[in-house]
């Protein structure tokens, strides 16, 4: 397939000699490449067709089975778990939590707050704090002022005088003898000992170090340097020889095999696999299109014709003949039921209102000229009347008050 890539250049003239050919892998590689690719294609084609079949099956299963199943499970979870849990939380747990919170506050918080406010705080304030304040203001403060005056006016001058006397006595008894001993005895003796040590010990040791030990050390260092340099030269030559043997006998053959054998073989196998995978993809796509065309012509077209020709007219007839009248009847029954329930609720509300009025009495209508409520503003005026009777909050307002408002 790629023989033209490695073909020799065109014929040169008689006076020109061919300098070089185009870089290629050689005729042997070109001859081996086509059988290798054919064999790889025969091996890869079933794998690619199986892979494409699995992909199509997975997509169809996801679209047809898993999505509706997921939606059904989500709806079922919403109906069986989420809605009951929300209703239970809203109408059971929240009121129960409010009741428990109120009970906890009533049992544990409010008694301790009342005990703290009305028992502990007054007892601590009037039984401990006020007496301590009085003691501090009338006893401790004058006592502290007296002690401070005694410290400043008596103890501090006495301590200062006593310290001066002790300092003079200690200097006379201890310091002066030590200074005289150091100045007139220890310093001359130390100078004499230092002179003796310098001229009897240090000077001979320095002369021996400079004239004997230093030349001897230089000679030993020179000998050791010669020995170390010889050893380094020997081991360097031995290392060069070993490296040459390793490179010639091991590295060069391995590199040659890698460059000339393994790299071309690996490159050809990779290229063959890529080309075979693409060719197998085209073949698999062609087979899939053929199977899809057969399924569309043999299954989908008859099913579509049966749906349009048979199912649609039958469904419309069932809808118009049965479902529509049943729906209208159900809607009429629903409207009648709602109206009946509304009338029943209104009747119950009026009966409850009448029973309440019969139980507590109707609001008394004020006579013309009488005020409305005691110590409160009436609806028709802006002044406070002490003798006015308040109207009940649960009954509707009188007609006169409603007109005034």
């Amino acid at each position: 397939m790629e023989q033209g890539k490695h073909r020799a250049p065109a014929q040169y003239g008689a006076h020109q000699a061919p300098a070089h050919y185009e870089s290629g892998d050689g005729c042997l590689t070109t001859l081996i490449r086509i059988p290798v690719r054919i064999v790889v294609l025969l091996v890869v084609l079933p794998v690619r067709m199986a892979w494409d079949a699995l992909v199509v099956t997975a997509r169809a299963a996801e679209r047809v089975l898993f999505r509706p199943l997921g939606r059904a499970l989500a709806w079922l979870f919403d109906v069986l778990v989420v809605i009951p849990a929300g209703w239970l939380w809203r109408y059971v747990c929240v009121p129960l939590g409010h009741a428990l919170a109120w009970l906890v506050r009533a049992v544990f918080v409010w008694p301790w707050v009342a005990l703290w406010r009305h028992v502990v705080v007054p007892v601590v304030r009037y039984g401990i704090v006020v007496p301590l304040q009085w003691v501090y203001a009338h006893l401790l403060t004058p006592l502290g002022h007296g002690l401070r005056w005694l410290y400043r006016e008596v103890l501090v001058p006495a301590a200062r005088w006593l310290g001066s006397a002790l300092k003079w006595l200690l200097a006379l008894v201890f310091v002066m003898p030590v200074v005289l001993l150091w100045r007139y005895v220890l310093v001359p003796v130390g100078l004499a000992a230092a002179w003796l040590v310098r001229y009897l010990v240090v000077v001979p040791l320095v002369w021996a170090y400079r004239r004997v030990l230093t030349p001897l050390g230089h000679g030993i260092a020179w000998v050791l340097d010669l020995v170390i340099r010889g050893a380094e030269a020997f081991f360097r030559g031995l290392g060069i020889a070993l490296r040459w043997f390793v490179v010639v006998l091991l590295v060069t053959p391995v590199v040659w095999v890698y460059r000339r054998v393994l790299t071309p073989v690996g490159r050809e196998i990779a290229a063959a696999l890529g080309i075979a995978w693409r060719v197998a993809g085209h073949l698999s796509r062609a087979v899939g299109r053929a199977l899809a065309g057969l399924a569309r012509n043999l299954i989908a077209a008859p099913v579509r014709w049966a749906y349009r020709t048979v199912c649609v007219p039958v469904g419309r007839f069932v809808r118009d003949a049965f479902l529509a009248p049943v729906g209208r009847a159900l809607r009429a029954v629903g409207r009648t039921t709602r109206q009946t329930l509304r009338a029943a609720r209104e009747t119950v509300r009026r009966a409850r209102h009448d029973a309440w009025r019969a139980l507590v009495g109707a609001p008394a209508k004020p006579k013309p000229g009488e005020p409305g409520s005691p110590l409160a503003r009436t609806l028709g005026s802006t002044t406070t009347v002490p003798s006015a009777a308040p109207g009940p909050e649960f009954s509707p307002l009188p007609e006169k008050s409603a007109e005034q408002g």
Side-chain angles (χ1 to χ4, degrees):
M1 287 186 288
E2 299 181 0
Q3 291 179 1
K5 184 189 301 183
H6 311 287
R7 191 175 300 169
Q11 295 293 332
Y12 293 90
H15 61 281
Q16 296 179 355
H20 61 277
Y21 287 93
E22 294 181 0
S23 60
D25 295 332
C27 60
L28 182 61
T29 305
T30 305
L31 292 176
I32 295 174
R33 181 180 293 126
I34 296 175
V36 168
R37 292 185 177 180
I38 293 174
V39 172
V40 172
L41 177 61
L42 295 178
V43 173
V44 171
L45 181 59
V47 178
R48 181 60 187 265
M49 294 186 68
W51 174 258
D52 292 339
L54 289 175
V55 170
V56 172
T57 305
R59 290 178 180 176
E62 179 186 4
R63 186 176 301 174
V64 176
L65 179 62
F66 294 114
R67 289 183 182 177
L69 182 60
R71 292 174 183 174
L73 290 177
W75 178 83
L76 187 63
F77 180 78
D78 191 12
V79 171
L80 296 180
V81 178
V82 176
I83 294 177
W87 182 88
L88 182 65
W89 172 262
R90 182 177 298 176
Y91 296 104
V92 177
C93 295
V94 172
L96 184 61
H98 290 169
L100 289 176
W102 182 87
L103 183 62
V104 168
R105 285 196 299 270
V107 174
F108 295 102
V109 178
W110 293 341
W112 293 103
V113 171
L115 181 65
W116 173 262
R117 289 181 180 178
H118 301 291
V119 178
V120 176
V121 172
V123 169
V124 171
R125 182 176 181 181
Y126 295 104
I128 300 176
V129 176
V130 174
L132 289 178
Q133 290 178 353
W134 184 87
V135 169
Y136 176 78
H138 295 86
L139 295 179
L140 297 180
T141 301
L143 182 61
H145 290 170
L147 292 176
R148 184 178 63 179
W149 178 86
L150 181 64
Y151 172 76
R152 289 182 179 179
E153 301 297 334
V154 178
L155 295 179
V156 171
R160 188 179 295 114
W161 180 83
L162 184 60
S164 300
L166 288 176
K167 181 172 68 173
W168 180 81
L169 182 61
L170 290 175
L172 183 62
V173 173
F174 294 102
V175 177
M176 290 299 294
V178 172
V179 170
L180 294 175
L181 179 65
W182 172 262
R183 184 177 296 176
Y184 296 105
V185 177
L186 295 179
V187 171
V189 172
L191 293 176
W195 185 85
L196 291 175
V197 169
R198 179 180 179 183
Y199 287 99
L200 294 179
V201 178
V202 176
V203 172
L205 289 177
V206 170
W207 182 86
Y209 175 77
R210 289 180 180 178
R211 302 299 179 180
V212 178
L213 296 178
T214 301
L216 182 61
H218 290 171
I220 294 173
W222 181 74
V223 172
L224 291 176
D225 187 28
L226 290 178
V227 173
I228 291 172
R229 288 182 180 180
E232 287 182 354
F234 173 74
F235 285 112
R236 187 182 297 112
L238 183 61
I240 293 172
L242 290 176
R243 184 175 61 184
W244 184 81
F245 278 109
V246 169
V247 169
V248 172
L249 298 178
L250 182 63
V251 177
T252 303
V254 171
V255 171
W256 185 87
V257 170
Y258 175 77
R259 289 181 179 178
R260 301 299 179 181
V261 179
L262 297 179
T263 301
V265 170
R267 189 187 303 118
E268 291 300 326
I269 292 175
L273 285 174
I275 294 173
W277 185 261
R278 290 192 293 272
V279 173
H282 290 292
L283 294 177
S284 176
R285 189 178 295 111
V287 172
R289 290 176 180 176
L291 293 177
L294 290 176
R296 185 169 53 252
N297 294 324
L298 297 179
I299 299 175
V303 170
R304 188 185 301 113
W305 178 85
Y307 175 77
R308 292 180 179 178
T309 308
V310 179
C311 296
V312 172
V314 171
R316 291 177 179 176
F317 174 75
V318 170
R319 182 192 62 188
D320 297 336
F322 297 100
L323 297 180
V326 170
R328 287 193 294 270
L330 291 177
R331 284 193 293 272
V333 170
R335 284 195 297 270
T336 305
T337 304
R338 286 195 297 272
Q339 292 175 0
T340 304
L341 292 176
R342 191 180 300 113
R345 285 196 299 269
E346 186 66 25
T347 303
V348 170
R349 188 181 301 110
R350 290 182 180 178
R352 187 178 64 234
H353 188 66
D354 294 340
W356 181 259
R357 285 194 175 187
L359 182 61
V360 300
K365 295 182 179 180
K367 297 179 181 180
E370 291 184 356
S373 63
L375 298 179
R377 298 183 184 276
T378 58
L379 295 177
S381 63
T382 58
T383 59
T384 302
V385 182
S387 61
E393 297 180 357
F394 50 82
S395 62
L397 296 173
E399 297 178 357
K400 183 178 179 180
S401 300
E403 291 175 359
Q404 291 178 359

